Amino acid sequence: MSELRELYQEMILDHGRHPRNCCVIPHANRQAQGFNQLCGDQLTLYLETGDNRIKNIGFTGSGCAISMASASLMSETLKGKTEQEANLFFQFFHSLLTNAEAKTTTIVGFEKLAVFSGVRLYPARVKCATLAWHTLQAALNQRKEMISTE
């Protein structure tokens, strides 16, 4: 467990300090905004989709290391995936953070996201880690209202 905790901390810090895909996508055809009222994390998610696939994904915003790392790793993981695969990743990620009985998955590409399992130990931080994912759901479903973690 100590190794997982170290990996968790290292990966969160790396992606929190140097988020990947932290940019506006010029040809985005879907967009959503999310806000975590508890700690002030906010982000705008940009998707370029076509043929039921996420061709490109980016985000802008500010927040804690967990929030930014989650958005960064999500963007890396979902680029090129189908919308159906993105929904499946959301379900597994959400379960990983909210369900102590959650089973690990063998879905290819989910390995990096498993480092967020440690967030489950800090319930107040679950909203930080899931903000980008809830915002993703809004973008995929083309919902226009601001997404809140409340």
Side-chain angles (χ1 to χ4, degrees):
M1 187 61 139
S2 177
E3 288 180 28
L4 180 61
R5 189 169 291 146
E6 287 177 30
L7 176 63
Y8 163 74
Q9 291 174 344
E10 184 180 315
M11 206 146 184
I12 297 295
L13 289 174
D14 180 42
H15 279 266
R17 289 180 181 143
H18 309 288
R20 282 58 154 189
N21 302 304
C22 187
C23 61
V24 174
I25 302 299
H27 302 291
N29 54 358
R30 297 188 191 180
Q31 178 179 326
Q33 294 181 322
F35 180 62
N36 180 348
Q37 295 176 349
L38 186 62
C39 66
D41 298 340
Q42 58 186 1
L43 67 88
T44 301
L45 186 69
Y46 306 92
L47 298 176
E48 180 184 347
T49 61
D51 299 325
N52 195 36
R53 190 168 294 279
I54 298 172
K55 293 182 175 187
N56 205 355
I57 181 172
F59 68 96
T60 57
S62 60
C64 68
I66 291 172
S67 178
M68 294 294 99
S70 181
S72 177
L73 280 160
M74 179 189 77
S75 68
E76 280 191 331
T77 302
L78 298 182
K79 194 180 285 187
K81 299 281 191 275
T82 66
E83 292 180 31
Q84 182 179 14
E85 288 170 321
N87 286 321
L88 189 60
F89 271 78
F90 169 80
Q91 291 171 11
F92 278 109
F93 188 77
H94 193 267
S95 179
L96 178 74
L97 271 64
T98 60
N99 182 356
E101 303 298 318
K103 304 281 190 238
T104 56
T105 180
T106 57
I107 295 177
V108 174
F110 196 82
E111 310 83 25
K112 285 184 180 181
L113 297 172
V115 299
F116 283 96
S117 64
V119 172
R120 186 174 47 231
L121 301 174
Y122 307 96
R125 303 307 251 162
V126 169
K127 291 180 180 190
C128 300
T130 59
L131 176 63
W133 292 85
H134 286 289
T135 307
L136 168 74
Q137 290 294 297
L140 288 173
N141 293 311
Q142 300 186 45
R143 292 178 27 216
K144 300 296 180 195
E145 72 274 4
M146 169 90 64
I147 300 308
S148 173
T149 56
E150 295 303 310

PDB file of all heavy atoms in Angstrom, residues 110-145:
ATOM      1  N   PHE A 110      -6.999   2.168 -17.953  1.00  0.00           N
ATOM      2  CA  PHE A 110      -7.508   2.607 -16.649  1.00  0.00           C
ATOM      3  C   PHE A 110      -6.423   2.579 -15.571  1.00  0.00           C
ATOM      4  O   PHE A 110      -6.577   3.183 -14.522  1.00  0.00           O
ATOM      5  CB  PHE A 110      -8.700   1.746 -16.223  1.00  0.00           C
ATOM      6  CG  PHE A 110      -9.508   2.356 -15.110  1.00  0.00           C
ATOM      7  CD1 PHE A 110     -10.457   3.325 -15.394  1.00  0.00           C
ATOM      8  CD2 PHE A 110      -9.315   1.976 -13.794  1.00  0.00           C
ATOM      9  CE1 PHE A 110     -11.199   3.907 -14.367  1.00  0.00           C
ATOM     10  CE2 PHE A 110     -10.051   2.553 -12.768  1.00  0.00           C
ATOM     11  CZ  PHE A 110     -10.991   3.526 -13.059  1.00  0.00           C
ATOM     12  N   GLU A 111      -5.309   1.919 -15.852  1.00  0.00           N
ATOM     13  CA  GLU A 111      -4.268   1.717 -14.840  1.00  0.00           C
ATOM     14  C   GLU A 111      -3.830   3.021 -14.189  1.00  0.00           C
ATOM     15  O   GLU A 111      -3.711   3.101 -12.967  1.00  0.00           O
ATOM     16  CB  GLU A 111      -3.024   1.038 -15.441  1.00  0.00           C
ATOM     17  CG  GLU A 111      -3.261  -0.194 -16.246  1.00  0.00           C
ATOM     18  CD  GLU A 111      -3.663   0.077 -17.695  1.00  0.00           C
ATOM     19  OE1 GLU A 111      -3.352   1.132 -18.272  1.00  0.00           O
ATOM     20  OE2 GLU A 111      -4.329  -0.790 -18.268  1.00  0.00           O
ATOM     21  N   LYS A 112      -3.564   4.039 -14.986  1.00  0.00           N
ATOM     22  CA  LYS A 112      -3.096   5.314 -14.433  1.00  0.00           C
ATOM     23  C   LYS A 112      -4.136   5.938 -13.515  1.00  0.00           C
ATOM     24  O   LYS A 112      -3.798   6.574 -12.529  1.00  0.00           O
ATOM     25  CB  LYS A 112      -2.765   6.306 -15.552  1.00  0.00           C
ATOM     26  CG  LYS A 112      -1.485   6.025 -16.270  1.00  0.00           C
ATOM     27  CD  LYS A 112      -1.225   7.121 -17.285  1.00  0.00           C
ATOM     28  CE  LYS A 112       0.050   6.893 -18.032  1.00  0.00           C
ATOM     29  NZ  LYS A 112       0.315   7.968 -19.005  1.00  0.00           N
ATOM     30  N   LEU A 113      -5.404   5.774 -13.857  1.00  0.00           N
ATOM     31  CA  LEU A 113      -6.466   6.377 -13.066  1.00  0.00           C
ATOM     32  C   LEU A 113      -6.615   5.706 -11.707  1.00  0.00           C
ATOM     33  O   LEU A 113      -7.141   6.306 -10.772  1.00  0.00           O
ATOM     34  CB  LEU A 113      -7.788   6.322 -13.837  1.00  0.00           C
ATOM     35  CG  LEU A 113      -7.803   7.098 -15.144  1.00  0.00           C
ATOM     36  CD1 LEU A 113      -9.088   6.818 -15.912  1.00  0.00           C
ATOM     37  CD2 LEU A 113      -7.628   8.588 -14.899  1.00  0.00           C
ATOM     38  N   ALA A 114      -6.141   4.485 -11.583  1.00  0.00           N
ATOM     39  CA  ALA A 114      -6.261   3.741 -10.322  1.00  0.00           C
ATOM     40  C   ALA A 114      -5.515   4.424  -9.180  1.00  0.00           C
ATOM     41  O   ALA A 114      -5.842   4.200  -8.020  1.00  0.00           O
ATOM     42  CB  ALA A 114      -5.771   2.313 -10.504  1.00  0.00           C
ATOM     43  N   VAL A 115      -4.554   5.291  -9.496  1.00  0.00           N
ATOM     44  CA  VAL A 115      -3.832   5.980  -8.426  1.00  0.00           C
ATOM     45  C   VAL A 115      -4.749   6.894  -7.623  1.00  0.00           C
ATOM     46  O   VAL A 115      -4.424   7.256  -6.505  1.00  0.00           O
ATOM     47  CB  VAL A 115      -2.620   6.783  -8.955  1.00  0.00           C
ATOM     48  CG1 VAL A 115      -1.614   5.873  -9.627  1.00  0.00           C
ATOM     49  CG2 VAL A 115      -3.053   7.909  -9.851  1.00  0.00           C
ATOM     50  N   PHE A 116      -5.915   7.226  -8.181  1.00  0.00           N
ATOM     51  CA  PHE A 116      -6.860   8.076  -7.459  1.00  0.00           C
ATOM     52  C   PHE A 116      -7.635   7.305  -6.380  1.00  0.00           C
ATOM     53  O   PHE A 116      -8.414   7.907  -5.648  1.00  0.00           O
ATOM     54  CB  PHE A 116      -7.839   8.744  -8.422  1.00  0.00           C
ATOM     55  CG  PHE A 116      -7.227   9.896  -9.167  1.00  0.00           C
ATOM     56  CD1 PHE A 116      -6.715   9.718 -10.434  1.00  0.00           C
ATOM     57  CD2 PHE A 116      -7.161  11.158  -8.594  1.00  0.00           C
ATOM     58  CE1 PHE A 116      -6.132  10.777 -11.109  1.00  0.00           C
ATOM     59  CE2 PHE A 116      -6.587  12.220  -9.255  1.00  0.00           C
ATOM     60  CZ  PHE A 116      -6.072  12.034 -10.527  1.00  0.00           C
ATOM     61  N   SER A 117      -7.413   6.018  -6.269  1.00  0.00           N
ATOM     62  CA  SER A 117      -8.124   5.241  -5.251  1.00  0.00           C
ATOM     63  C   SER A 117      -7.852   5.780  -3.852  1.00  0.00           C
ATOM     64  O   SER A 117      -8.705   5.687  -2.970  1.00  0.00           O
ATOM     65  CB  SER A 117      -7.764   3.759  -5.335  1.00  0.00           C
ATOM     66  OG  SER A 117      -6.383   3.575  -5.042  1.00  0.00           O
ATOM     67  N   GLY A 118      -6.701   6.373  -3.637  1.00  0.00           N
ATOM     68  CA  GLY A 118      -6.363   6.950  -2.346  1.00  0.00           C
ATOM     69  C   GLY A 118      -7.240   8.126  -1.957  1.00  0.00           C
ATOM     70  O   GLY A 118      -7.386   8.439  -0.770  1.00  0.00           O
ATOM     71  N   VAL A 119      -7.857   8.773  -2.927  1.00  0.00           N
ATOM     72  CA  VAL A 119      -8.731   9.915  -2.651  1.00  0.00           C
ATOM     73  C   VAL A 119      -9.940   9.474  -1.834  1.00  0.00           C
ATOM     74  O   VAL A 119     -10.483  10.251  -1.041  1.00  0.00           O
ATOM     75  CB  VAL A 119      -9.165  10.601  -3.972  1.00  0.00           C
ATOM     76  CG1 VAL A 119     -10.223  11.654  -3.736  1.00  0.00           C
ATOM     77  CG2 VAL A 119      -7.953  11.211  -4.663  1.00  0.00           C
ATOM     78  N   ARG A 120     -10.350   8.231  -2.011  1.00  0.00           N
ATOM     79  CA  ARG A 120     -11.502   7.696  -1.278  1.00  0.00           C
ATOM     80  C   ARG A 120     -11.329   7.867   0.234  1.00  0.00           C
ATOM     81  O   ARG A 120     -12.299   8.010   0.969  1.00  0.00           O
ATOM     82  CB  ARG A 120     -11.696   6.229  -1.643  1.00  0.00           C
ATOM     83  CG  ARG A 120     -12.935   5.619  -1.059  1.00  0.00           C
ATOM     84  CD  ARG A 120     -13.208   4.211  -1.519  1.00  0.00           C
ATOM     85  NE  ARG A 120     -12.043   3.354  -1.470  1.00  0.00           N
ATOM     86  CZ  ARG A 120     -11.631   2.603  -2.490  1.00  0.00           C
ATOM     87  NH1 ARG A 120     -12.295   2.581  -3.627  1.00  0.00           N
ATOM     88  NH2 ARG A 120     -10.570   1.848  -2.368  1.00  0.00           N
ATOM     89  N   LEU A 121     -10.097   7.899   0.711  1.00  0.00           N
ATOM     90  CA  LEU A 121      -9.818   8.056   2.138  1.00  0.00           C
ATOM     91  C   LEU A 121     -10.082   9.479   2.631  1.00  0.00           C
ATOM     92  O   LEU A 121     -10.100   9.729   3.835  1.00  0.00           O
ATOM     93  CB  LEU A 121      -8.369   7.672   2.437  1.00  0.00           C
ATOM     94  CG  LEU A 121      -7.969   6.246   2.066  1.00  0.00           C
ATOM     95  CD1 LEU A 121      -6.481   6.032   2.267  1.00  0.00           C
ATOM     96  CD2 LEU A 121      -8.785   5.241   2.854  1.00  0.00           C
ATOM     97  N   TYR A 122     -10.271  10.414   1.699  1.00  0.00           N
ATOM     98  CA  TYR A 122     -10.497  11.821   2.034  1.00  0.00           C
ATOM     99  C   TYR A 122     -11.776  12.290   1.343  1.00  0.00           C
ATOM    100  O   TYR A 122     -11.735  12.890   0.275  1.00  0.00           O
ATOM    101  CB  TYR A 122      -9.305  12.670   1.581  1.00  0.00           C
ATOM    102  CG  TYR A 122      -7.995  12.133   2.105  1.00  0.00           C
ATOM    103  CD1 TYR A 122      -7.208  11.288   1.329  1.00  0.00           C
ATOM    104  CD2 TYR A 122      -7.564  12.433   3.396  1.00  0.00           C
ATOM    105  CE1 TYR A 122      -6.011  10.776   1.815  1.00  0.00           C
ATOM    106  CE2 TYR A 122      -6.379  11.922   3.889  1.00  0.00           C
ATOM    107  CZ  TYR A 122      -5.606  11.099   3.086  1.00  0.00           C
ATOM    108  OH  TYR A 122      -4.435  10.586   3.576  1.00  0.00           O
ATOM    109  N   PRO A 123     -12.932  12.020   1.938  1.00  0.00           N
ATOM    110  CA  PRO A 123     -14.214  12.295   1.288  1.00  0.00           C
ATOM    111  C   PRO A 123     -14.376  13.714   0.739  1.00  0.00           C
ATOM    112  O   PRO A 123     -14.988  13.906  -0.312  1.00  0.00           O
ATOM    113  CB  PRO A 123     -15.241  12.005   2.380  1.00  0.00           C
ATOM    114  CG  PRO A 123     -14.558  11.011   3.260  1.00  0.00           C
ATOM    115  CD  PRO A 123     -13.107  11.398   3.246  1.00  0.00           C
ATOM    116  N   ALA A 124     -13.803  14.703   1.400  1.00  0.00           N
ATOM    117  CA  ALA A 124     -13.930  16.078   0.906  1.00  0.00           C
ATOM    118  C   ALA A 124     -13.206  16.266  -0.421  1.00  0.00           C
ATOM    119  O   ALA A 124     -13.544  17.156  -1.201  1.00  0.00           O
ATOM    120  CB  ALA A 124     -13.389  17.060   1.942  1.00  0.00           C
ATOM    121  N   ARG A 125     -12.230  15.424  -0.714  1.00  0.00           N
ATOM    122  CA  ARG A 125     -11.440  15.546  -1.949  1.00  0.00           C
ATOM    123  C   ARG A 125     -12.050  14.784  -3.126  1.00  0.00           C
ATOM    124  O   ARG A 125     -11.635  14.962  -4.262  1.00  0.00           O
ATOM    125  CB  ARG A 125     -10.015  15.049  -1.717  1.00  0.00           C
ATOM    126  CG  ARG A 125      -9.308  15.756  -0.593  1.00  0.00           C
ATOM    127  CD  ARG A 125      -9.337  17.251  -0.727  1.00  0.00           C
ATOM    128  NE  ARG A 125      -8.004  17.700  -1.059  1.00  0.00           N
ATOM    129  CZ  ARG A 125      -7.719  18.872  -1.580  1.00  0.00           C
ATOM    130  NH1 ARG A 125      -8.678  19.713  -1.849  1.00  0.00           N
ATOM    131  NH2 ARG A 125      -6.505  19.203  -1.837  1.00  0.00           N
ATOM    132  N   VAL A 126     -13.030  13.935  -2.857  1.00  0.00           N
ATOM    133  CA  VAL A 126     -13.675  13.182  -3.937  1.00  0.00           C
ATOM    134  C   VAL A 126     -14.278  14.148  -4.965  1.00  0.00           C
ATOM    135  O   VAL A 126     -14.170  13.933  -6.169  1.00  0.00           O
ATOM    136  CB  VAL A 126     -14.738  12.208  -3.389  1.00  0.00           C
ATOM    137  CG1 VAL A 126     -15.600  11.631  -4.499  1.00  0.00           C
ATOM    138  CG2 VAL A 126     -14.057  11.094  -2.599  1.00  0.00           C
ATOM    139  N   LYS A 127     -14.877  15.238  -4.487  1.00  0.00           N
ATOM    140  CA  LYS A 127     -15.476  16.214  -5.399  1.00  0.00           C
ATOM    141  C   LYS A 127     -14.414  16.885  -6.261  1.00  0.00           C
ATOM    142  O   LYS A 127     -14.669  17.216  -7.415  1.00  0.00           O
ATOM    143  CB  LYS A 127     -16.279  17.252  -4.624  1.00  0.00           C
ATOM    144  CG  LYS A 127     -17.518  16.653  -4.001  1.00  0.00           C
ATOM    145  CD  LYS A 127     -18.316  17.659  -3.237  1.00  0.00           C
ATOM    146  CE  LYS A 127     -19.539  16.961  -2.643  1.00  0.00           C
ATOM    147  NZ  LYS A 127     -20.473  17.903  -2.080  1.00  0.00           N
ATOM    148  N   CYS A 128     -13.231  17.068  -5.715  1.00  0.00           N
ATOM    149  CA  CYS A 128     -12.124  17.645  -6.495  1.00  0.00           C
ATOM    150  C   CYS A 128     -11.752  16.704  -7.643  1.00  0.00           C
ATOM    151  O   CYS A 128     -11.561  17.135  -8.782  1.00  0.00           O
ATOM    152  CB  CYS A 128     -10.902  17.861  -5.604  1.00  0.00           C
ATOM    153  SG  CYS A 128     -11.161  18.968  -4.209  1.00  0.00           S
ATOM    154  N   ALA A 129     -11.645  15.426  -7.330  1.00  0.00           N
ATOM    155  CA  ALA A 129     -11.213  14.443  -8.321  1.00  0.00           C
ATOM    156  C   ALA A 129     -12.276  14.155  -9.375  1.00  0.00           C
ATOM    157  O   ALA A 129     -11.954  13.803 -10.511  1.00  0.00           O
ATOM    158  CB  ALA A 129     -10.816  13.143  -7.621  1.00  0.00           C
ATOM    159  N   THR A 130     -13.559  14.309  -9.009  1.00  0.00           N
ATOM    160  CA  THR A 130     -14.621  13.960  -9.962  1.00  0.00           C
ATOM    161  C   THR A 130     -15.149  15.151 -10.756  1.00  0.00           C
ATOM    162  O   THR A 130     -15.935  14.966 -11.683  1.00  0.00           O
ATOM    163  CB  THR A 130     -15.801  13.274  -9.246  1.00  0.00           C
ATOM    164  OG1 THR A 130     -16.328  14.142  -8.250  1.00  0.00           O
ATOM    165  CG2 THR A 130     -15.376  11.944  -8.645  1.00  0.00           C
ATOM    166  N   LEU A 131     -14.716  16.372 -10.434  1.00  0.00           N
ATOM    167  CA  LEU A 131     -15.222  17.552 -11.135  1.00  0.00           C
ATOM    168  C   LEU A 131     -15.046  17.449 -12.645  1.00  0.00           C
ATOM    169  O   LEU A 131     -15.992  17.649 -13.410  1.00  0.00           O
ATOM    170  CB  LEU A 131     -14.541  18.825 -10.616  1.00  0.00           C
ATOM    171  CG  LEU A 131     -14.935  20.112 -11.349  1.00  0.00           C
ATOM    172  CD1 LEU A 131     -16.414  20.409 -11.165  1.00  0.00           C
ATOM    173  CD2 LEU A 131     -14.066  21.274 -10.863  1.00  0.00           C
ATOM    174  N   ALA A 132     -13.861  17.130 -13.100  1.00  0.00           N
ATOM    175  CA  ALA A 132     -13.614  17.036 -14.547  1.00  0.00           C
ATOM    176  C   ALA A 132     -14.486  15.961 -15.188  1.00  0.00           C
ATOM    177  O   ALA A 132     -14.977  16.132 -16.304  1.00  0.00           O
ATOM    178  CB  ALA A 132     -12.139  16.739 -14.809  1.00  0.00           C
ATOM    179  N   TRP A 133     -14.701  14.873 -14.475  1.00  0.00           N
ATOM    180  CA  TRP A 133     -15.482  13.764 -15.013  1.00  0.00           C
ATOM    181  C   TRP A 133     -16.966  14.112 -15.128  1.00  0.00           C
ATOM    182  O   TRP A 133     -17.609  13.747 -16.103  1.00  0.00           O
ATOM    183  CB  TRP A 133     -15.274  12.529 -14.141  1.00  0.00           C
ATOM    184  CG  TRP A 133     -13.874  12.014 -14.263  1.00  0.00           C
ATOM    185  CD1 TRP A 133     -12.774  12.433 -13.562  1.00  0.00           C
ATOM    186  CD2 TRP A 133     -13.407  11.031 -15.181  1.00  0.00           C
ATOM    187  NE1 TRP A 133     -11.664  11.753 -13.980  1.00  0.00           N
ATOM    188  CE2 TRP A 133     -12.022  10.882 -14.972  1.00  0.00           C
ATOM    189  CE3 TRP A 133     -14.033  10.244 -16.143  1.00  0.00           C
ATOM    190  CZ2 TRP A 133     -11.248   9.985 -15.697  1.00  0.00           C
ATOM    191  CZ3 TRP A 133     -13.268   9.339 -16.859  1.00  0.00           C
ATOM    192  CH2 TRP A 133     -11.885   9.215 -16.641  1.00  0.00           C
ATOM    193  N   HIS A 134     -17.494  14.818 -14.144  1.00  0.00           N
ATOM    194  CA  HIS A 134     -18.890  15.262 -14.236  1.00  0.00           C
ATOM    195  C   HIS A 134     -19.043  16.305 -15.350  1.00  0.00           C
ATOM    196  O   HIS A 134     -20.050  16.322 -16.055  1.00  0.00           O
ATOM    197  CB  HIS A 134     -19.373  15.825 -12.898  1.00  0.00           C
ATOM    198  CG  HIS A 134     -19.635  14.771 -11.876  1.00  0.00           C
ATOM    199  ND1 HIS A 134     -20.701  13.894 -11.957  1.00  0.00           N
ATOM    200  CD2 HIS A 134     -18.962  14.429 -10.743  1.00  0.00           C
ATOM    201  CE1 HIS A 134     -20.674  13.067 -10.920  1.00  0.00           C
ATOM    202  NE2 HIS A 134     -19.624  13.364 -10.178  1.00  0.00           N
ATOM    203  N   THR A 135     -18.027  17.127 -15.508  1.00  0.00           N
ATOM    204  CA  THR A 135     -18.047  18.119 -16.580  1.00  0.00           C
ATOM    205  C   THR A 135     -17.966  17.419 -17.937  1.00  0.00           C
ATOM    206  O   THR A 135     -18.625  17.831 -18.900  1.00  0.00           O
ATOM    207  CB  THR A 135     -16.898  19.129 -16.396  1.00  0.00           C
ATOM    208  OG1 THR A 135     -16.965  19.671 -15.061  1.00  0.00           O
ATOM    209  CG2 THR A 135     -16.990  20.260 -17.399  1.00  0.00           C
ATOM    210  N   LEU A 136     -17.205  16.351 -18.010  1.00  0.00           N
ATOM    211  CA  LEU A 136     -17.152  15.541 -19.231  1.00  0.00           C
ATOM    212  C   LEU A 136     -18.533  15.011 -19.595  1.00  0.00           C
ATOM    213  O   LEU A 136     -18.954  15.084 -20.753  1.00  0.00           O
ATOM    214  CB  LEU A 136     -16.183  14.366 -19.049  1.00  0.00           C
ATOM    215  CG  LEU A 136     -16.251  13.280 -20.133  1.00  0.00           C
ATOM    216  CD1 LEU A 136     -15.611  13.782 -21.420  1.00  0.00           C
ATOM    217  CD2 LEU A 136     -15.588  12.011 -19.655  1.00  0.00           C
ATOM    218  N   GLN A 137     -19.241  14.486 -18.600  1.00  0.00           N
ATOM    219  CA  GLN A 137     -20.584  13.965 -18.854  1.00  0.00           C
ATOM    220  C   GLN A 137     -21.492  15.056 -19.409  1.00  0.00           C
ATOM    221  O   GLN A 137     -22.277  14.811 -20.333  1.00  0.00           O
ATOM    222  CB  GLN A 137     -21.184  13.391 -17.564  1.00  0.00           C
ATOM    223  CG  GLN A 137     -20.526  12.118 -17.088  1.00  0.00           C
ATOM    224  CD  GLN A 137     -20.756  10.979 -18.056  1.00  0.00           C
ATOM    225  OE1 GLN A 137     -21.880  10.564 -18.270  1.00  0.00           O
ATOM    226  NE2 GLN A 137     -19.688  10.501 -18.651  1.00  0.00           N
ATOM    227  N   ALA A 138     -21.383  16.250 -18.865  1.00  0.00           N
ATOM    228  CA  ALA A 138     -22.189  17.375 -19.353  1.00  0.00           C
ATOM    229  C   ALA A 138     -21.830  17.710 -20.800  1.00  0.00           C
ATOM    230  O   ALA A 138     -22.717  17.958 -21.626  1.00  0.00           O
ATOM    231  CB  ALA A 138     -21.991  18.597 -18.464  1.00  0.00           C
ATOM    232  N   ALA A 139     -20.550  17.710 -21.118  1.00  0.00           N
ATOM    233  CA  ALA A 139     -20.122  18.020 -22.488  1.00  0.00           C
ATOM    234  C   ALA A 139     -20.606  16.946 -23.465  1.00  0.00           C
ATOM    235  O   ALA A 139     -21.110  17.268 -24.544  1.00  0.00           O
ATOM    236  CB  ALA A 139     -18.601  18.157 -22.554  1.00  0.00           C
ATOM    237  N   LEU A 140     -20.476  15.684 -23.076  1.00  0.00           N
ATOM    238  CA  LEU A 140     -20.916  14.601 -23.959  1.00  0.00           C
ATOM    239  C   LEU A 140     -22.423  14.651 -24.196  1.00  0.00           C
ATOM    240  O   LEU A 140     -22.896  14.343 -25.287  1.00  0.00           O
ATOM    241  CB  LEU A 140     -20.518  13.241 -23.378  1.00  0.00           C
ATOM    242  CG  LEU A 140     -19.039  12.896 -23.420  1.00  0.00           C
ATOM    243  CD1 LEU A 140     -18.762  11.603 -22.659  1.00  0.00           C
ATOM    244  CD2 LEU A 140     -18.531  12.791 -24.855  1.00  0.00           C
ATOM    245  N   ASN A 141     -23.167  15.053 -23.162  1.00  0.00           N
ATOM    246  CA  ASN A 141     -24.629  15.129 -23.266  1.00  0.00           C
ATOM    247  C   ASN A 141     -25.112  16.508 -23.711  1.00  0.00           C
ATOM    248  O   ASN A 141     -26.314  16.760 -23.723  1.00  0.00           O
ATOM    249  CB  ASN A 141     -25.272  14.743 -21.933  1.00  0.00           C
ATOM    250  CG  ASN A 141     -25.031  13.280 -21.621  1.00  0.00           C
ATOM    251  OD1 ASN A 141     -25.240  12.411 -22.452  1.00  0.00           O
ATOM    252  ND2 ASN A 141     -24.559  13.007 -20.420  1.00  0.00           N
ATOM    253  N   GLN A 142     -24.159  17.381 -24.028  1.00  0.00           N
ATOM    254  CA  GLN A 142     -24.422  18.730 -24.525  1.00  0.00           C
ATOM    255  C   GLN A 142     -25.333  19.527 -23.595  1.00  0.00           C
ATOM    256  O   GLN A 142     -26.223  20.244 -24.039  1.00  0.00           O
ATOM    257  CB  GLN A 142     -24.959  18.670 -25.951  1.00  0.00           C
ATOM    258  CG  GLN A 142     -23.956  17.998 -26.879  1.00  0.00           C
ATOM    259  CD  GLN A 142     -24.351  18.037 -28.324  1.00  0.00           C
ATOM    260  OE1 GLN A 142     -24.769  19.063 -28.825  1.00  0.00           O
ATOM    261  NE2 GLN A 142     -24.212  16.902 -29.014  1.00  0.00           N
ATOM    262  N   ARG A 143     -25.083  19.389 -22.285  1.00  0.00           N
ATOM    263  CA  ARG A 143     -25.810  20.179 -21.292  1.00  0.00           C
ATOM    264  C   ARG A 143     -25.117  21.523 -21.162  1.00  0.00           C
ATOM    265  O   ARG A 143     -23.896  21.601 -21.097  1.00  0.00           O
ATOM    266  CB  ARG A 143     -25.841  19.449 -19.951  1.00  0.00           C
ATOM    267  CG  ARG A 143     -26.700  18.187 -20.053  1.00  0.00           C
ATOM    268  CD  ARG A 143     -26.773  17.337 -18.802  1.00  0.00           C
ATOM    269  NE  ARG A 143     -26.592  17.994 -17.550  1.00  0.00           N
ATOM    270  CZ  ARG A 143     -25.955  17.421 -16.517  1.00  0.00           C
ATOM    271  NH1 ARG A 143     -25.448  16.210 -16.626  1.00  0.00           N
ATOM    272  NH2 ARG A 143     -25.838  18.068 -15.381  1.00  0.00           N
ATOM    273  N   LYS A 144     -25.885  22.588 -21.126  1.00  0.00           N
ATOM    274  CA  LYS A 144     -25.334  23.943 -21.140  1.00  0.00           C
ATOM    275  C   LYS A 144     -25.134  24.557 -19.759  1.00  0.00           C
ATOM    276  O   LYS A 144     -24.367  25.480 -19.615  1.00  0.00           O
ATOM    277  CB  LYS A 144     -26.239  24.872 -21.977  1.00  0.00           C
ATOM    278  CG  LYS A 144     -26.372  24.430 -23.427  1.00  0.00           C
ATOM    279  CD  LYS A 144     -25.053  24.493 -24.134  1.00  0.00           C
ATOM    280  CE  LYS A 144     -25.192  24.054 -25.581  1.00  0.00           C
ATOM    281  NZ  LYS A 144     -23.919  23.768 -26.195  1.00  0.00           N
ATOM    282  N   GLU A 145     -25.847  24.061 -18.736  1.00  0.00           N
ATOM    283  CA  GLU A 145     -25.734  24.686 -17.422  1.00  0.00           C
ATOM    284  C   GLU A 145     -24.384  24.365 -16.778  1.00  0.00           C
ATOM    285  O   GLU A 145     -23.770  23.358 -17.088  1.00  0.00           O
ATOM    286  CB  GLU A 145     -26.885  24.246 -16.509  1.00  0.00           C
ATOM    287  CG  GLU A 145     -26.812  22.807 -16.021  1.00  0.00           C
ATOM    288  CD  GLU A 145     -27.415  21.779 -16.974  1.00  0.00           C
ATOM    289  OE1 GLU A 145     -27.840  22.127 -18.082  1.00  0.00           O
ATOM    290  OE2 GLU A 145     -27.428  20.593 -16.594  1.00  0.00           O
TER     291      GLU A 145
END
